[in-house]
Amino acid sequence: GDTVMVGGFGVPGTPMTLIHALVDHGARGLTLIKNDANEPGMGIDHLLQSGQVARLITTHLGLNAHAIGLMNEGAIEVEFNAQGILAERIRAGGAGLGAILSDIGIGTELARGRQVVEMEGKSYLVEPALRADVALIHAERADPFGNLAYAATAQNFNPLMAMAATCVIVEAEQVLALGALGANDVHTPGVFVDHVAEL
C-alpha cells in the first residue's frame, strides 16, 4: 500500500537494481510515481508484470504496450500529468507545500471533476503536491553520507524525488570516499538520503 517514487527520465536515472530488489521484496498494492512506464521488460515494467502496482501516477505510457494493456483492462489505475506539472507537484511536496496552481488543462477534459480557483480574474486548477513513503533513485556518484551527483537527464526527477519522500534509497554507480565529491558537484545533499547502495 505504500507510495513509491521511482526516479528516471526514460532509461537515464532509472534505478534498475532497486526496482529488481522491490520485485523480490514482494510489496503489493503500490502506488508508483514515475515520469514514464519504461519499456516492456525494463524498469518499472517488472513491477507491473509481477502485479505489485495498483496505481501509477505518470506523464505517459507510450513506450510500454504492457502498461497500456493493464490500464485498458482496469488492472491498474493511471493518473496522467503534463510532465512539467508532475515535476512541479513533486517539487512542491519536497518543499512542504500543499498544492500548486496551474492554468494547464483549463477548459479541457483534464479539468473535469477537478478543483478550480479564481485569482485575479484567471482560472487555475489546483494540483495537489506529491509525497511518497519511499523514493528509489539512481546517482552516478555518491559518498557514504549520501551526497549525490547525477549524470545528464538523470537530474530531471531524481533530485526532486529525493526531497519528497520519507525514506530515500539510492543506487550509485560509484561510492566515493567522504570529501571526494566536490561541493560544487553535489546535486542532492546527503541530509535527504537514508541509504546508499553501490552497484
Side-chain angles (χ1 to χ4, degrees):
D2 275 1
T3 297
V4 181
M5 289 181 176
V6 181
F9 192 76
V11 171
T14 298
M16 304 294 188
T17 302
L18 293 177
I19 290 169
H20 285 293
L22 183 54
V23 170
D24 292 342
H25 179 278
R28 306 192 74 75
L30 299 173
T31 293
L32 293 187
I33 300 172
K34 188 173 189 313
N35 176 57
D36 55 90
N38 293 120
E39 297 176 36
M42 180 182 291
I44 67 164
D45 190 55
H46 294 290
L47 291 162
L48 295 170
Q49 287 181 23
S50 62
Q52 292 172 258
V53 179
R55 184 168 181 239
L56 177 61
I57 300 171
T58 190
T59 66
H60 70 94
L61 305 177
L63 299 176
N64 191 333
H66 177 243
I68 293 168
L70 290 173
M71 177 185 70
N72 290 340
E73 294 161 11
I76 61 168
E77 177 188 344
V78 178
E79 177 190 327
F80 289 107
N81 291 259
Q83 193 168 74
I85 295 297
L86 181 65
E88 191 66 6
R89 290 178 70 193
I90 296 167
R91 187 203 62 78
L97 303 177
I100 61 166
L101 302 178
S102 171
D103 63 354
I104 295 173
I106 290 289
T108 72
E109 181 74 18
L110 294 174
R112 182 184 293 174
R114 306 277 300 282
Q115 183 180 357
V116 178
V117 298
E118 301 291 325
M119 187 180 269
E120 298 180 359
K122 192 170 180 180
S123 298
Y124 295 92
L125 287 177
V126 177
E127 299 281 3
L130 291 171
R131 285 199 51 83
D133 300 293
V134 178
L136 305 178
I137 62 179
H138 176 97
E140 182 184 46
R141 292 169 293 151
D143 66 23
F145 183 68
N147 294 308
L148 308 177
Y150 309 102
T153 55
Q155 295 178 59
N156 289 353
F157 281 91
N158 281 304
L160 302 175
M161 291 179 172
M163 295 176 63
T166 302
C167 178
V168 177
I169 306 171
V170 178
E171 63 176 45
E173 294 179 32
Q174 291 180 284
V175 177
L176 307 174
L178 201 57
L181 188 59
N184 290 332
D185 296 328
V186 173
H187 299 127
T188 294
V191 69
F192 293 110
V193 175
D194 297 286
H195 307 283
V196 177
E198 187 169 18
L199 295 178

